[in-house]
Amino acid sequence: MSYTQIETAPRAEIRALQNERLRETVEHAYENVEHYRTALDAAGISPAEIETVDDLSALPLTTKADFREEYPDGLFAVDDDRIRRVHASSGTTGNPKIVAYTRSDLEVWSEVVARSLAAAGVEPGQTVQNGYGYGLFTGGLGLHYGIEELGATVIPVGGGQTQRQVELLRDLESDVLSCTPSYSLYLAETAAEMGIDVADLPVSTVLFGAEPCTEPMREEIESRLGVTGIDIYGLSEIIGPGVSNECHEAQDGLHIWEDHFYPEVIDPETGEPLPAGEEGELVLTSLSKEALPVLRYRTGDLTTLTYDECECGRTMVRMDNVTGRADDLLTVRGVNLYPSQIEAVVLEFDAVAPYYRIDLYREDALDRMELTIEREPGFDGDLEALRDRVLTRLSNVLSFTPDELDIVGPGEIERTQVGKVKRVYDHR
Ligand SMILES: [Zn+2]
């Protein structure tokens, strides 16, 4: 069941709404944000020329660097007294990206998260344990208000305190857990140490986001926790979690709530728009934001859009599960590859646990990659033979093998207890 009528509306109705909102958004951004006014003027475009979403590609792209340069509030489009909340996304380099919301923006956010939960199969009256961090990060509070909006009960446990989380999951009999994929695995491990099998608990859905997750990783999580793993996607610059969500009926791509966020896919090298069905970098334009309208934002996430009908009845476009960020691309000895490609190969092996790390070094001007994987607790086979099989498979699938492959014992790879998992350590 969809949460709002527009999710299943005819495409023409969605398109008409997008066109109308796009015109308002471009006008609003141009009138109230100097950055956009300067950018459009420099490109020789007047807001009146943007009549439909087909005209969008004429507008300049907006980047992370623009957010940093306009720190803290250069991109805000309303007076301070209309702003009800501010969040910030942690920057590993430079200024954080500060984002702001009016009352109306907060209502839209709650609604799109409620839609996302409904798409995930969450029903009013159910209980959701929210394991995303509260505070400046948009994950915790974003999910929180959407859960309430849907009419479900929220347990605002936040990140960390894993033993406590396990006890609450057991004692309050939550139906749904929301957290990162890597944290759900850590929670299951902690539970096992406490003598509790998460698969025996009532929790039946894990809503995961904030980290890329390959299909083999999802399958691991689903079988270990005895749950359905549903992907939620979002980013602070656009609104936070709730930009798109997988439907539980198909589990085949994430429906973008495109009456609020207009998606394009571009070639990350040239910036040229790509046709539906081709993989490239996701670019999003906000269609209803007041405090922080965003025109053609480069997300850095690689995906594909499909407008094919979905078995759930929703007509909104689907994006592929994001398994690679343009930023994550590793170049090792001239070969380009994503950590997710390595993850997908190593997790094909039943003997390999869903934990790994990649270390990159430069020695004598040459790149060197060390891959560390962990064996399953039950594995008592020949480690050398396993190593050979993994290396052969990597070579066959990726035409690449690491310089060193270590297989360590259960629990030896450091777990992520709070925040996003770190798997690549580039020492170069
Ligand atoms: Zn669907």
Side-chain angles (χ1 to χ4, degrees):
M1 268 282 286
S2 63
Y3 185 72
T4 47
Q5 174 274 334
I6 193 73
E7 294 166 59
T8 54
R11 291 294 313 167
E13 184 182 334
I14 295 171
R15 183 50 56 100
L17 187 58
Q18 287 175 327
N19 290 339
E20 182 192 325
R21 288 181 171 174
L22 177 66
R23 288 191 290 268
E24 289 168 5
T25 297
V26 173
E27 182 76 33
H28 176 51
Y30 186 85
E31 290 298 324
N32 297 298
V33 184
E34 197 184 330
H35 169 83
Y36 289 118
R37 195 160 50 243
T38 309
L40 264 69
D41 287 349
I45 298 156
S46 99
E49 290 171 58
I50 308 300
E51 293 177 16
T52 74
V53 292
D54 295 328
D55 303 324
L56 198 53
S57 60
L59 295 178
L61 294 158
T62 304
T63 64
K64 283 181 182 58
D66 294 325
F67 268 83
R68 300 223 160 91
E69 278 162 27
E70 298 294 339
Y71 176 88
D73 59 358
L75 294 175
F76 294 6
V78 298
D79 291 336
D80 288 354
D81 62 359
R82 291 191 57 205
I83 292 175
R84 290 289 173 277
R85 202 193 303 162
V86 164
H87 281 280
S89 77
S90 55
T92 42
T93 52
N95 290 328
K97 287 161 277 184
I98 306 287
V99 297
Y101 306 79
T102 62
R103 180 183 292 277
S104 162
D105 293 336
L106 291 173
E107 284 168 5
V108 167
W109 193 10
S110 294
E111 194 212 295
V112 292
V113 173
R115 279 189 207 182
S116 298
L117 291 158
V122 184
E123 292 172 10
Q126 290 192 319
T127 300
V128 183
Q129 181 160 319
N130 185 15
Y132 285 109
Y134 280 69
L136 283 172
F137 173 54
T138 48
L141 286 169
L143 254 296
H144 183 100
Y145 288 108
I147 295 164
E148 292 186 348
E149 170 74 21
L150 179 73
T153 304
V154 59
I155 302 176
V157 61
Q161 309 182 73
T162 308
Q163 292 202 0
R164 189 82 199 283
Q165 296 232 22
V166 173
E167 288 163 4
L168 288 172
L169 204 57
R170 178 193 61 195
D171 299 343
L172 298 178
E173 303 187 335
S174 292
D175 306 285
V176 182
L177 170 67
S178 55
C179 62
T180 59
S182 60
Y183 188 75
S184 72
L185 283 172
Y186 180 68
L187 186 133
E189 268 194 339
T190 305
E193 286 163 14
M194 296 163 68
I196 296 167
D197 185 347
V198 175
D200 294 337
L201 300 180
V203 60
S204 59
T205 301
V206 174
L207 189 66
F208 47 57
E211 263 175 26
C213 182
T214 60
E215 205 53 39
M217 182 66 92
R218 184 220 296 263
E219 284 164 17
E220 284 273 354
I221 292 168
E222 290 188 328
S223 74
R224 272 167 198 246
L225 278 74
V227 295
T228 302
I230 300 283
D231 217 25
I232 185 168
Y233 172 84
L235 62 171
S236 304
E237 300 90 307
I238 299 301
I239 202 159
V243 170
S244 65
N245 207 90
E246 229 171 17
C247 60
H248 70 102
E249 293 94 338
Q251 268 189 294
D252 184 21
L254 294 83
H255 290 282
I256 301 177
W257 309 129
E258 54 175 324
D259 51 330
H260 294 292
F261 317 108
Y262 184 80
E264 299 169 87
V265 165
I266 62 165
D267 180 327
E269 302 290 327
T270 65
E272 288 304 310
L274 295 173
E278 281 190 33
E279 189 186 65
E281 183 177 348
L282 180 67
V283 167
L284 291 166
T285 297
S286 72
L287 296 177
S288 58
K289 291 266 291 295
E290 293 181 339
L292 187 69
V294 184
L295 304 181
R296 303 196 79 211
Y297 185 67
R298 293 188 68 151
T299 64
D301 291 323
L302 299 178
T303 191
T304 310
L305 298 179
T306 171
Y307 286 86
D308 295 349
E309 238 171 76
C310 183
E311 62 182 81
C312 73
R314 288 178 184 81
T315 48
M316 294 205 164
V317 64
R318 280 172 289 162
M319 57 184 263
D320 268 358
N321 179 7
V322 173
T323 56
R325 295 185 53 83
D327 297 352
D328 292 340
L329 186 68
L330 304 175
T331 305
V332 185
R333 298 191 300 266
V335 177
N336 290 333
L337 76 171
Y338 289 97
S340 58
Q341 293 177 292
I342 294 173
E343 173 179 309
V345 172
V346 298
L347 292 190
E348 286 176 11
F349 293 85
D350 289 342
V352 177
Y355 307 96
Y356 63 96
R357 67 175 275 162
I358 293 166
D359 285 274
L360 296 165
Y361 301 94
R362 181 159 290 141
E363 285 170 8
D364 302 327
L366 284 177
D367 294 326
R368 175 180 164 75
M369 181 196 281
E370 289 179 12
L371 173 63
T372 309
I373 58 177
E374 198 176 289
R375 65 176 192 271
E376 282 286 354
F379 178 77
D380 58 0
D382 183 342
L383 274 180
E384 277 309 312
L386 176 62
R387 188 195 325 274
D388 288 345
R389 277 168 35 227
V390 172
L391 285 172
T392 304
R393 187 75 187 141
L394 283 167
S395 169
N396 289 345
V397 178
L398 303 177
S399 306
F400 179 85
T401 49
D403 299 278
E404 198 173 315
L405 173 64
D406 280 329
I407 305 179
V408 298
E412 286 187 34
I413 292 178
E414 199 186 339
R415 306 299 195 244
T416 305
Q417 300 181 27
V418 178
K420 301 179 190 184
V421 67
K422 182 169 167 63
R423 295 195 173 105
V424 178
Y425 297 81
D426 197 337
H427 311 279
R428 294 178 294 186

